[in-house]
Amino acid sequence: MNAIPIDPKCYGELMPDFQVLFTVLHVIFGLLASTGNFVVILAIYRTPSLRTVSNYFLVSVAFADFFVGFVVHPMLAVRCYENYWYSELPFAKAADILVLQSFTATSFGLCAISLDRYFAITSAIRYNELITIRVCIIGTVIIWTISIFYPFIRFVTTDPFELPMIWLLVCIVSVGIPFSIIAYCYFHIFKAARNQNIKIAAQNQVRKDATNVAKQYKAARTVAIVIGVVLLFWFPGVVITLIQVMADDCMKTKIMKVWFWGILCAMINSSVNPWLYAARMKNIRKAMKKIVMPNRRSSLATISHSFSVKEQKTT
């Protein structure tokens, strides 16, 4: 630490108790995120009825969250345990790259899902022409290409006092741009859904039309909830970044103690998303249950059959 050209009063190292706490939390949430999102991906893969364009975009986000649990959380656990608070250490740089990659893949993945819902509701007749498997594959490849190469902007500067500006740029590109598009989509989604409900009520259309509108609207609301939760968990990190940009040089490094809390909150979101999918999407919930409890139905059937046999024997 003596080689670091920073005043010791401005060090952002963690206290020993917090080193252990953050390490344990990253390990726990890493297991939850990797396991939960793996089950989501496997559920969609094993269930033919779930292999839709909309769910392929969902798989992309779930894979990004799985990556967070399987790779990013463990690296952050090591960073906390070893107290690698100084941003220019090689391991800290590697962890930053992976954090940026996961942020970018998740935010632009949610943007793709929002655009899918936007066209499903505002252009329902032409939806199957506009959003095809080919469009889905191209969009997903673009998202992951951007998320892999864009994080290397982290190497633009080696000055720890200039690094907050890089994080601010990341917030603008990886959070500001996709979530602006998401906001635009959902403004028009809810506006179109309301207008369609009014038309259905006024024209007394068949129940099938009303059911289709309600189904699409519910799917849009589910995605909106997921996006809202993402913003909630990412908000502390964005606030810390803004404080770092406006703070003096000493505070820019000293605030790293708080940065560890902010990045933990952001990463926890990846372990929450699978629960949201299960809670809000009935088909995905059923598919996940079949994977988690594969023998439950067969065992219940066996028990029921044994009881019926016993009753027949007694009679």
Side-chain angles (χ1 to χ4, degrees), residues 4 11 16 30 37 62-63 95 98 124 138 147 222 237 261 274 277 279 291 313:
I4 300 176
Y11 283 176
N37 287 286
F63 185 79
L98 294 176
I138 293 173
S147 70
T222 299
W261 283 107
Y277 305 148
I291 294 173
K313 287 182 178 180

Side-chain angles (χ1 to χ4, degrees), residues 174-194:
S174 296
V175 180
I177 293 176
F179 281 98
S180 295
I181 297 172
I182 289 170
Y184 172 85
C185 288
Y186 272 90
F187 172 79
H188 290 281
I189 283 172
F190 290 120
K191 182 179 178 181
R194 183 185 61 185

